[in-house]
């Protein structure tokens, strides 16, 4: 086998292709470590509050003798976990989601009295809650951290389940009683599955066992030969990853060789064999064990000698025994137990994002693993505000601090997505209402357009009034233009003259309506265009960083100011701004200026600088082929800044024709002339950042910013142009379009454990 070595004589192994960065896997080992930490530090504690601020996370605020802490439970498909973490977020009761409300109603003021992993080698943690320490458990929170199938289930112990399969209660007194489901983070009804329904009223059933063999199925641990046979056999069943060309070549082969089976088995990956053969082994853990043994993570089964198998087996055995020992120790913990004893040998592999509970057994240790305490301290320094609040709670312990740091990005993404959905829903509701107004105004104007016909009908009645017979419902008249005779309806109760007066009144009203509704229609059409622009700006925000969060906050505040949506609590963008503001402040008191005039000038300059920074925070920047800067508005605030503040007369302004889109300027020095290549580059960007980005070829208007103006009373970011030229933009030829295609390819090809 190819060992990781610094020996100059050994041939260098080819570098592995760079892997797509993924969130660390919260596997069985991480679950055991986290539950051990919770059992040692948070049992017993009182539940003060239960908060669900986003779609995937429940936070229980706990108070113990040593201070406050918080239990974080997440069923996120890519970041499911359970650990101690920072204090629960402060949200209004109306912002607490349904599972959080139910947990708050059930668990508040109860005592967390137990934390365990009831099924060895299964990623399920169970937390017990009672009225007071020493009492029987009344409610349980089952946390299943199983990737896309992750869930959190709150059950009542010993309650009669109304539906589903009954199981014996813990005491064994009545077989018709079970853990009755009270609430689920993700419900699965009986119509969706007949195996394991998860819905209030059903009896809770644990998830089916994971594939593979339990590491302790052969006693303490399997011997080397049993281990080798199991890994080799499992590796041979792993699907082989091949390129399309290779698959086609193999499909065209007509001859088969008996040696193919042996070759395929020998070339199979030891990593795949470890994952498929044994429960509790994740891909990241398998790679970490191989690296600890001194091998490359992609080493094949046929490359290992007997001595190499001994080293691999030793690492696997050390992991299995240590993990099993920690699980069995959870039941024996008491207040005299040193909380750090169970995790004394724990390590963190930054390169694999893997937590290990055991010390490496091999003499040859690959670099990349650091003690748990050091890794936690580093993550705490990197994001101190997210994992510690000494004024309100005790410091977050190592495992909790580590995972609070590595999974913080997933939480921020969920907060962003939820806030974006809220703002988008409000904008679309306002747009729908505005379109209904436009339709109604246009109908009124169309109805009012025939007021001349109504007035003519009244004139005809008055002209031939002498021929009307009292009590009749019609009058015979002759058309003024053609002279043709026709009948006009008359209300017999009021007579012909009163009917004519009524028609005159209708004609005057319709004429007034037309003149009154036309400005209302113009305002509604402008509002419709503004809201379409807002809807497009929201569709462009992907949550890829602080810029998108800030742009979303600007749009939300803009709609709140326009009274189109209701205000909400602070989101991720507000936190980012506060952190940036804190990071920019210098400690200590500054010296006072000796001159009031100097102070005033400084403040004025600061205001200008802050205004420029605020404007640029809503603007995307690109570089044209010649090196000139291209600015693209990110939202209404950015569009207005690009068009009315940042654009100069010598620049070139772009916007897609006839559809919502970003405002774009190609910046130039006075006297410069834009090249055709730069114009195409900026026009392509204007086409890409528009609602017509899938059009292939798009008409783009371009002009000088001096011909761009904002109408009086127009909404933020709405402008008109007095002079324009038109060119063709190709959105598919832009850099962001290429990046989107590359990202989609990576997403389609990525697999998840």
């Amino acid at each position: 086998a190819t060992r990781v070595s610094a020996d100059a004589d050994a041939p260098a192994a080819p570098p592995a292709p760079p892997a797509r960065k993924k969130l660390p896997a919260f596997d069985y080992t991480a679950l055991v470590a986290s539950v051990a930490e919770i059992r040692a530090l948070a049992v017993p504690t009182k539940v003060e509050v239960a908060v669900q601020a986003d779609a995937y996370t429940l936070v229980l605020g706990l108070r113990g003798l040593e201070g406050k802490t918080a239990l974080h439970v997440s069923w996120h498909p890519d970041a499911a976990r359970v650990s101690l973490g920072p204090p629960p977020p402060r949200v209004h009761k109306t912002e607490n989601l349904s599972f959080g409300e139910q947990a708050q109603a059930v668990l508040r003021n109860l005592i967390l009295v137990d934390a365990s992993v009831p099924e060895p080698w299964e990623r399920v943690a169970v937390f017990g809650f009672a009225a007071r320490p020493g009492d029987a458990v009344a409610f349980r929170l089952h946390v299943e951290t199983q990737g896309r199938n992750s869930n959190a289930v709150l059950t009542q112990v010993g309650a009669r389940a109304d539906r589903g399969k009954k199981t014996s209660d813990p005491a064994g007194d009545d077989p018709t009683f079970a853990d009755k489901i009270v609430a689920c983070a993700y419900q699965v009804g009986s119509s969706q599955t007949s195996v394991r329904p998860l819905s209030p009223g059903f009896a809770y059933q644990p998830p089916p066992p994971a594939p593979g063999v339990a590491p302790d199925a052969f006693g303490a641990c399997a011997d080397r030969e049993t281990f080798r046979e199991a890994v080799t056999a499992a590796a041979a069943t792993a699907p082989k990853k091949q390129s399309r060309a290779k698959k086609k070549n193999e499909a065209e082969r007509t001859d088969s060789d008996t040696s193919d089976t042996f070759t395929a088995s020998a070339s199979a990956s030891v990593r795949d064999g470890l994952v498929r053969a044994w429960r509790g082994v994740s891909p990241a853990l398998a790679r970490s064990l191989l690296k600890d043994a001194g091998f490359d993570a992609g080493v094949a089964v046929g490359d290992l000698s007997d001595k190499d198998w001994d080293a691999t087996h030793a690492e696997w055995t050390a992991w299995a025994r240590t993990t099993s020992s920690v699980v069995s120790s959870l039941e024996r913990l008491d207040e005299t137990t040193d909380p750090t004893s169970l995790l004394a040998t724990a390590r963190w592999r930054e390169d694999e994002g893997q937590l290990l509970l055991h010390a490496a057994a091999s003499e040859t240790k690959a670099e990349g693993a650091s003690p748990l305490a050091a890794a936690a301290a580093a993550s705490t320094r990197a994001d101190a505000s997210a994992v510690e609040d000494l004024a309100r709670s005790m410091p977050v312990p190592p495992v909790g601090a580590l995972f609070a740091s590595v999974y913080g990005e997933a939480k921020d993404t969920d907060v962003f997505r939820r806030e974006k959905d809220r703002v988008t829903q409000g904008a679309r509701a306002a747009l729908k209402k505005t379109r209904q107004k436009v339709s109604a105004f246009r109908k009124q104007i169309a109805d009012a357009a025939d007021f001349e016909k109504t007035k003519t009908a009244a004139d005809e009645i008055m002209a031939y009034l002498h021929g009307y017979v009292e009590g009749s419902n019609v009058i015979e008249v002759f058309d003024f233009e053609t002279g043709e005779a026709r009948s006009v309806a008359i209300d017999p109760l009021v007579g012909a003259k009163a009917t004519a007066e009524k028609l005159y009144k209708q004609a005057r009203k319709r004429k007034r309506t037309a003149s009154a509704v036309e400005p209302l229609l113009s305002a509604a059409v402008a509002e419709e265009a503004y809201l379409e622009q807002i809807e497009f700006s929201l569709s462009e925000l992907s949550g890829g960083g602080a810029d998108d969060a800030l742009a979303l906050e600007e749009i939300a505040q803009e709609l709140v100011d326009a009274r189109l949506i209701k205000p909400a609590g602070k989101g991720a963008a507000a936190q980012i701004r506060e952190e940036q503001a804190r990071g920019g402040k210098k400690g200590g008191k500054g010296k006072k200026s000796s001159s009031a005039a100097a102070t005033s000038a400084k403040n004025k300059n600061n205001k200008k600088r802050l205004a420029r920074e605020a404007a640029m925070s809503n603007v995307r920047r690109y570089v044209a082929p010649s090196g000139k800067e291209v600015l693209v508005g990110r939202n209404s605030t950015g569009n207005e800044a690009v068009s009315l503040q940042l654009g100069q007369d010598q620049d070139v302004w772009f916007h897609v024709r006839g559809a919502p889109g970003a405002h774009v300027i190609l910046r130039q020095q006075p006297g410069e002339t834009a090249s055709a290549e730069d114009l195409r580059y900026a026009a392509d960007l204007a086409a890409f950042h528009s609602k017509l980005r899938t059009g292939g070829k798009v008409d783009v208007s371009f002009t000088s910013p001096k011909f761009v103006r904002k109408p009086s009373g127009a909404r933020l970011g709405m402008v008109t142009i007095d002079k324009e030229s038109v060119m063709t933009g190709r959105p598919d030829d832009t850099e962001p379009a290429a990046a989107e295609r590359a990202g989609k390819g990576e997403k389609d090809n990525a697999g998840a454990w």
Side-chain angles (χ1 to χ4, degrees):
T2 304
R3 284 184 176 272
V4 178
S5 174
D7 190 354
D9 297 333
R20 187 173 67 92
K21 185 174 179 59
K22 294 172 58 178
L23 287 171
F26 194 85
D27 60 358
Y28 179 75
T29 308
L31 178 68
V32 169
S34 189
V35 172
E37 189 173 74
I38 296 168
R39 179 71 177 81
L41 300 178
V43 175
T45 50
K46 180 181 179 181
V47 179
E48 291 191 324
V49 66
V51 177
Q52 185 189 356
D54 61 71
Y56 297 104
T57 307
L58 173 70
V59 183
L60 301 181
L62 307 174
R63 178 188 288 274
L65 296 177
E66 298 182 2
K68 294 182 179 181
T69 186
L71 177 63
H72 289 245
V73 174
S74 174
W75 51 95
H76 191 285
D78 297 322
R81 65 197 183 279
V82 55
S83 63
L84 296 178
R90 295 179 178 178
V91 299
H92 191 267
K93 61 181 180 180
T94 59
E95 297 177 340
N96 198 8
L97 300 185
S98 59
F99 186 59
E101 288 182 347
Q102 293 169 315
Q104 169 80 351
V106 172
L107 300 180
R108 187 181 180 188
N109 293 327
L110 294 184
I111 308 299
L112 175 61
V113 296
D114 185 40
S116 63
V117 181
E119 294 293 331
W121 314 111
E122 296 291 343
R123 289 179 288 168
V124 180
V126 178
F127 302 93
F129 301 87
R132 58 182 59 86
D135 285 1
V137 173
F139 293 91
R140 290 194 180 103
L141 180 61
H142 304 258
V143 183
E144 304 170 359
T145 59
Q146 300 180 334
R148 292 177 298 175
N149 299 319
S150 299
N151 208 341
V153 184
L154 184 60
T155 63
Q156 184 178 1
V157 178
R160 184 185 295 275
D162 303 328
R163 297 172 289 173
K165 181 180 177 182
K166 307 295 190 297
T167 57
S168 299
D169 70 330
D173 299 328
D174 190 343
T176 64
F177 282 73
D179 274 11
K180 177 182 175 180
I181 297 177
V182 176
C184 293
Y186 180 75
Q187 296 188 22
V188 181
S190 56
S191 61
Q192 297 172 283
T193 179
S194 59
V195 178
R196 184 175 171 253
L198 293 173
S199 186
F202 282 91
Y204 174 78
Q205 302 174 49
V213 180
D216 54 2
F218 300 94
C221 271
D223 57 28
R224 194 204 66 178
E225 288 305 319
T226 304
F227 170 79
R228 178 176 182 175
E229 291 173 2
V231 172
T232 303
T237 64
K240 191 175 181 181
K241 297 181 181 179
Q242 298 175 339
S243 64
R244 291 183 180 180
K246 192 170 183 179
K247 287 181 180 179
K248 183 177 179 181
N249 292 337
E250 290 192 357
E252 292 175 350
R253 291 175 57 189
T254 56
D255 298 331
S256 60
D257 190 355
T258 57
S259 64
D260 286 348
T261 302
F262 173 78
T263 303
S265 177
S267 62
S269 171
V270 178
R271 175 197 61 219
D272 294 339
L274 287 169
V275 174
R276 299 173 72 87
W278 308 104
R279 292 183 190 173
V281 180
S282 65
L285 175 62
R287 293 191 295 267
S288 299
L289 294 178
L290 288 171
K291 288 182 177 181
D292 279 353
F295 306 114
D296 182 78
V299 66
V301 171
D303 293 337
L304 295 184
S305 63
D306 290 344
K307 185 177 180 181
D308 297 333
W309 279 107
D310 287 337
T312 306
H313 176 256
E315 292 296 336
W316 175 84
T317 302
W319 162 77
R321 286 178 175 172
T322 304
T323 306
S324 180
S325 174
V326 173
V327 173
S328 61
S329 299
L330 292 178
E331 301 297 332
R332 301 192 300 270
L333 287 178
D334 55 33
E335 58 274 8
T336 62
T337 306
D338 181 6
T340 62
S341 61
L342 296 178
L343 306 176
T345 58
R347 298 172 293 139
W348 173 255
R349 268 200 169 273
E350 181 68 30
D351 54 347
E352 297 294 345
Q354 179 63 46
L355 182 63
L356 302 168
L357 298 180
H358 67 285
S362 175
E363 295 180 0
T364 304
K365 299 179 182 180
E367 296 180 356
S370 58
L372 173 62
S379 66
T380 303
R381 287 193 300 270
D383 191 11
S385 62
V387 298
E388 187 172 358
D389 187 353
L390 297 178
R392 296 173 54 199
S393 66
M394 59 184 179
V396 180
V399 176
L402 184 62
F403 286 109
S405 175
V406 298
Y407 287 118
E409 182 179 350
K411 180 181 177 181
D412 292 343
T413 301
D414 291 331
V415 172
F416 177 89
R417 180 191 55 77
R418 186 179 174 216
E419 177 67 5
K420 179 183 174 182
D421 290 345
R422 183 188 73 86
V423 176
T424 302
Q425 183 179 3
R428 287 176 177 171
L431 179 59
K432 180 180 179 181
K433 187 176 180 180
T434 303
R435 284 173 174 167
Q436 291 173 347
K437 282 184 179 180
V438 170
S439 178
F441 289 151
R442 284 176 175 163
K443 186 177 183 301
Q444 289 181 22
I445 291 177
D447 292 342
D450 63 350
F451 77 93
E452 286 288 351
K453 295 181 180 179
T454 306
K455 181 177 179 297
T456 300
D459 290 341
E460 290 173 345
I461 293 174
M462 294 301 294
Y464 297 97
L465 187 62
H466 61 277
Y468 175 70
V469 179
E470 290 293 334
S472 177
N473 60 355
V474 295
I475 185 174
E476 191 79 12
V477 300
F478 295 89
D479 189 275
F480 287 159
E481 296 181 358
T482 65
E484 295 180 357
R486 60 188 179 87
S487 298
V488 177
I490 299 296
D491 185 354
L493 297 179
V494 298
K497 185 176 181 180
T499 300
E501 290 176 351
K502 186 183 293 185
L503 291 176
Y504 280 129
K505 187 176 181 180
Q506 289 179 1
R508 289 193 299 269
K509 183 178 180 180
R510 288 182 176 179
K511 186 176 181 180
R512 290 195 305 269
T513 298
S515 58
V517 171
E518 283 178 357
L520 296 179
L521 175 61
S522 299
V525 169
E527 183 79 355
E528 182 182 20
Y530 165 73
L531 291 173
E532 287 177 346
Q533 179 66 40
I534 290 290
E535 185 183 31
F536 164 73
S537 298
L538 287 168
S539 68
E540 280 219 310
L541 302 180
S542 61
D547 288 341
D548 278 2
L550 292 172
L552 178 61
E553 184 190 28
E554 293 282 355
I555 294 174
Q557 188 59 48
E558 182 182 336
L559 294 178
V560 169
D561 293 341
R563 298 182 181 275
L564 297 176
I565 63 173
K566 294 182 179 180
K570 292 183 178 180
Q575 296 176 8
I576 290 172
R577 276 190 169 165
E578 290 175 0
E579 290 171 2
Q580 290 177 345
R582 287 197 299 267
K585 290 182 179 180
K586 297 181 179 180
K589 296 183 179 180
K591 295 182 179 179
K592 293 184 179 180
S593 173
S594 58
S595 171
T599 302
S600 176
K602 182 178 180 181
N603 292 337
K604 187 176 182 180
N605 291 335
N606 287 338
K607 289 180 180 180
K608 290 182 179 180
R609 178 180 57 81
L610 293 175
R612 286 195 301 270
E613 291 178 355
M616 293 306 297
S617 67
N618 295 294
V619 175
R620 297 181 177 92
R621 297 185 182 186
Y622 296 93
V623 179
S626 66
K628 296 178 181 178
E629 188 177 38
V630 179
L631 302 182
V632 181
R634 192 184 293 272
N635 52 22
S636 298
T637 304
N639 286 338
E640 182 147 323
V642 165
S643 299
L644 305 178
Q645 299 177 24
L646 302 175
Q648 303 296 323
D649 291 351
Q650 70 272 9
D651 299 334
V652 186
W653 183 91
F654 298 83
H655 192 282
V656 67
R657 296 196 79 196
H663 299 193
V664 179
I665 58 171
L666 172 65
R667 305 191 80 176
Q668 302 184 113
Q669 295 298 323
E672 287 185 339
T673 302
S675 65
E677 189 177 14
D678 285 350
L679 290 175
R680 283 196 302 271
Y681 181 86
D684 292 346
L685 285 175
F688 177 81
H689 292 288
S690 74
K691 205 168 185 178
L692 303 180
R693 66 194 308 172
T694 59
K697 293 183 179 180
V698 180
D699 287 340
V700 177
S701 300
F702 67 99
T703 186
S704 170
K706 65 183 178 182
F707 298 117
V708 180
R709 61 184 179 85
K710 181 175 183 177
S712 177
R715 291 281 196 183
L716 186 67
M718 305 303 293
V719 299
T720 60
I721 51 178
D722 299 327
K723 181 180 178 181
E724 66 171 328
S725 300
V726 180
M727 64 184 299
T728 300
R730 292 175 172 79
D732 294 336
D733 294 345
T734 59
E735 297 169 0
E740 272 191 3
R741 291 192 293 268
K744 186 178 185 301
E746 288 184 3
K747 184 176 180 180
D748 292 341
N749 295 329
W753 171 66

